[in-house]
Amino acid sequence: MLNTLLTLAERKYISFGEALNISITGIVVVMLVLAFLAVLVLLLSKSIRAVEGAAKKKSSAKAVSANAEEKTSAPSKPAGTALPESASAGDLNLYNVDEKTAAVIMAIVSNESGIPLNRLLFKSIKAIENKG
Amino acid sequence: MSVVNALVEIFQKSGFMSLSWQNWVMILVSFGLLYLAIVKKFEPLLLLPIAFGMLLVNIYPDIMADPLMMSSYEGTVDPNAHWYDAGVLRLIYAGVKSSIFPCLIFLAVGAMTDFGPLLANPVSLLLGAAAQLGIYVAFLIAIATKFLTFIPNFEPFDALEAAAIAIIGGADGPTAIWLTSKLAPQLLGPIAVAAYSYMALIPLIQPPIMKLLTTKKEREIKMDQLRTVSKAEKIIFPIVVTVLCVLILPSVAPLLGMLMLGNLFRESGVTDRLSDTAQNALCNIVTILLGVTVGATAEGKTFLDFKTIAIIIIGLLAFAFSTAGGVLFAKLLNVITKGKINPLIGSAGVSAVPMAARVSQVEGRKYNPSNFLLMHAMGPNVAGVIGSAVAAGFLLMTFGN
């Protein structure tokens, strides 16, 4: 196919049909290369995250066992697993705000700041009354 | 010699007497572009140097004088001339002609680009590919100019010229200059001016097409937050892309290689000084030199002809079809993912970074003020840079010697 195109290109003027052939091949080549890249990125990301996840688990397990050795009588926080990005942790006090509105506010803050919810800690959300 | 005679002589040697009507038209065009850059703030960093280069060359054409015919296509060689007798902008223009400036701009773009949104959502790559549609439509239109032979003195575009014109649809100035200087250097001026001017005018060109091809409901779609991408992914990505793309299409090595080198400077975390220089000082210096000299190729006498007008029209159509390609493919993905993709991000697949992504964000917020499409649009936007480089590589492989 490409050889045919190369022979076509040696001529100064080409027919419309030949141009159509080159155009279709061109868009297919771009699509295929980028689709291949997308699959590769997907596989790469998955394997890197798997390796990183395993390394994290290992290091956190080490840290937990080290903490356990150092522990005296003081109670410690539960180690637990990492929260999903869409979840948040901690106690949140709501003042004149319903839970649905609070959830929306937290989502907006997370979206605006680009920080996942699991890395944000909200302490309280308070409705400010308009006195004017 | 009387004072009057001296004044008459000065007047006769002045630009008022030597300029042609084409120069005056181009001076007016440059005023229009300066207005758009300064008052309307349409990509002033690009448009202002281009417009000023255009103004300079039309007031004083010898600023691009080329006695050795180093990069001119009309005129005669002066055997007694030296390289330093060339106009000062002609000498700087060697950086464009040799593809040094486009490659350095790609290095800077790489250093400024965060591929995180693309890595978080690899489907973006397909949008970046779909938005190259305009390149191939423009190629067909340029070839079809052979049906316009009824226009007096109009010579249709040959295959190499058509391929060079087509790349305007990639909405990527450096890629357009790089490919044109290899396939049809005689058209470098009009193609570069068209590519950069349309890139600057993206906020005007894209929104009507985006609106035409999408429904209000689609424009209001809110997309899920992107996942966080790890540092390791960001470091490995430029290396993998370079190896893969250059092996498949070796001709993309100068552009893509520099883009990914710049990105590796940024992401590696061990070359902060190089990354900073590429993003700021180097980028600014090359932008000034590239902009002014590209503008200076628009000298009225050689610039204003049917071919230039045809290139300007085909370039606009190429931009429109690229935008449409991206939006339509995003619509398809929206159907496949059951409403999870806002089709407005498809238009960002044209590679004008970050203008096209900004347009998606602005348009998205018009219809849903709580919508933040910028990061989602950055994925297709940077994918478009890779897509247009691959498309240029394909055209060079097909038509290059």
Side-chain angles (χ1 to χ4, degrees):
Chain A
M1 179 74 166
L2 204 60
N3 278 344
T4 323
L5 295 178
L6 290 170
T7 333
L8 285 174
E10 281 164 16
R11 302 202 319 260
K12 199 175 177 202
Y13 290 97
I14 57 174
S15 72
F16 192 77
E18 290 163 340
L20 191 65
N21 195 5
I22 291 172
S23 291
I24 293 169
T25 312
I27 194 87
V28 168
V29 166
V30 175
M31 272 288 188
L32 283 179
V33 170
L34 294 201
F36 185 49
L37 211 56
V39 173
L40 206 70
V41 165
L42 213 67
L43 294 175
L44 249 167
S45 298
K46 279 200 172 158
S47 49
I48 289 170
R49 274 186 286 166
V51 170
E52 282 182 341
K56 241 184 209 170
K57 254 186 189 173
K58 225 178 181 181
S59 64
S60 64
K62 262 187 189 171
V64 168
S65 63
N67 276 347
E69 281 170 18
E70 284 171 13
K71 258 182 219 164
T72 51
S73 57
S76 67
K77 287 177 189 171
T81 50
L83 287 166
E85 277 182 14
S86 56
S88 184
D91 294 323
L92 171 65
N93 297 319
L94 300 179
Y95 301 100
N96 295 332
V97 178
D98 60 275
E99 283 187 359
K100 204 175 167 188
T101 311
V104 170
I105 289 169
M106 289 194 288
I108 291 171
V109 170
S110 168
N111 204 347
E112 283 268 21
S113 61
I115 303 169
L117 272 174
N118 61 354
R119 292 175 62 196
L120 285 173
L121 179 65
F122 294 87
K123 291 188 172 171
S124 67
I125 297 175
K126 193 186 216 174
I128 299 168
E129 280 172 29
N130 191 355
K131 287 175 184 169
Chain B
M1 184 194 283
S2 70
V3 174
V4 176
N5 281 348
L7 288 174
V8 167
E9 201 174 317
I10 287 172
F11 183 74
Q12 280 171 345
K13 285 183 180 172
S14 72
F16 290 106
M17 296 302 286
S18 61
L19 297 187
S20 65
W21 68 267
Q22 292 101 325
N23 292 125
W24 290 109
V25 170
M26 291 310 292
I27 288 170
L28 288 179
V29 171
S30 74
F31 287 163
L33 294 180
L34 283 172
Y35 171 81
L36 289 178
I38 297 166
V39 181
K40 295 286 177 186
K41 296 188 171 56
F42 283 158
E43 296 305 325
L45 296 180
L46 274 179
L47 206 52
L48 197 142
I50 290 176
F52 207 81
M54 199 180 277
L55 177 66
L56 268 178
V57 79
N58 283 290
I59 294 174
Y60 178 59
D62 276 356
I63 205 163
M64 279 291 269
D66 190 8
L68 290 173
M69 298 294 290
M70 292 183 292
S71 54
S72 298
Y73 301 94
E74 280 172 24
T76 49
V77 177
D78 176 1
N80 298 318
H82 300 94
W83 66 269
Y84 47 77
D85 293 325
V88 67
L89 291 187
R90 177 68 64 185
L91 292 173
I92 300 172
Y93 184 66
V96 178
K97 182 88 180 128
S98 60
S99 298
I100 293 174
F101 290 168
C103 289
L104 288 178
I105 287 282
F106 255 56
L107 180 82
V109 170
M112 285 189 268
T113 303
D114 176 11
F115 282 108
L118 185 146
L119 293 168
N121 185 17
V123 176
S124 306
L125 279 157
L126 297 179
L127 291 172
Q132 307 310 315
L133 176 71
I135 293 179
Y136 301 101
V137 174
F139 176 69
L140 288 176
I141 297 172
I143 290 292
T145 53
K146 67 178 176 182
F147 301 120
L148 299 177
T149 42
F150 57 87
I151 298 174
N153 299 327
F154 181 77
E155 198 188 330
F157 296 111
D158 64 36
L160 300 185
E161 289 175 335
I165 294 165
I167 203 66
I168 300 174
D172 191 332
T175 307
I177 290 172
W178 177 75
L179 188 70
T180 308
S181 64
K182 297 202 178 317
L183 294 183
Q186 71 280 10
L187 295 183
L188 193 50
I191 287 178
V193 169
Y196 275 107
S197 305
Y198 288 142
M199 276 166 68
L201 297 176
I202 265 191
L204 283 184
I205 299 169
Q206 286 197 320
I209 301 163
M210 293 157 81
K211 203 174 166 186
L212 185 74
L213 296 175
T214 53
T215 62
K216 191 169 177 284
K217 200 178 162 193
E218 285 171 333
R219 293 193 287 270
E220 287 172 349
I221 292 173
K222 208 169 169 187
M223 293 179 69
D224 293 337
Q225 195 180 333
L226 293 170
R227 73 170 175 86
T228 317
V229 175
S230 73
K231 193 174 162 64
E233 286 174 79
K234 287 184 176 179
I235 292 174
I236 292 171
F237 179 73
I239 301 169
V240 168
V241 172
T242 307
V243 172
L244 180 78
C245 291
V246 175
L247 282 178
I248 296 175
L249 289 167
S251 50
V252 302
L255 280 187
L256 211 61
M258 293 301 263
L259 180 78
M260 294 303 157
L261 173 64
N263 192 248
L264 199 56
F265 283 162
R266 173 199 173 94
E267 302 297 353
S268 65
V270 293
T271 51
D272 288 346
R273 278 167 49 195
L274 302 187
S275 171
D276 177 56
T277 303
Q279 286 184 42
N280 299 297
L282 181 68
C283 183
N284 292 341
I285 291 168
V286 180
T287 302
I288 294 169
L289 301 178
L290 184 84
V292 175
T293 50
V294 161
T297 57
E299 205 266 307
K301 276 174 244 159
T302 51
F303 192 81
L304 279 184
D305 65 3
F306 275 124
K307 274 202 165 178
T308 302
I309 294 166
I311 289 169
I312 301 283
I313 294 169
I314 296 171
L316 182 61
L317 290 172
F319 260 61
F321 274 99
S322 285
T323 304
V327 173
L328 291 174
F329 199 81
K331 273 172 83 95
L332 177 69
L333 289 179
N334 183 42
V335 173
I336 294 169
T337 57
K338 290 173 186 156
K340 284 187 179 166
I341 289 181
N342 187 322
L344 291 180
I345 68 164
S347 64
V350 304
S351 53
V353 180
M355 293 88 97
R358 231 183 277 149
V359 170
S360 298
Q361 160 73 9
V362 170
E363 290 303 304
R365 285 203 80 167
K366 269 187 201 168
Y367 298 94
N368 183 354
S370 67
N371 218 349
F372 292 92
L373 293 177
L374 188 63
M375 291 317 283
H376 298 286
M378 279 310 288
N381 207 188
V382 295
V385 179
I386 302 172
S388 59
V390 170
F394 169 78
L395 289 172
L396 187 63
M397 206 165 84
T398 310
F399 294 107
N401 290 321

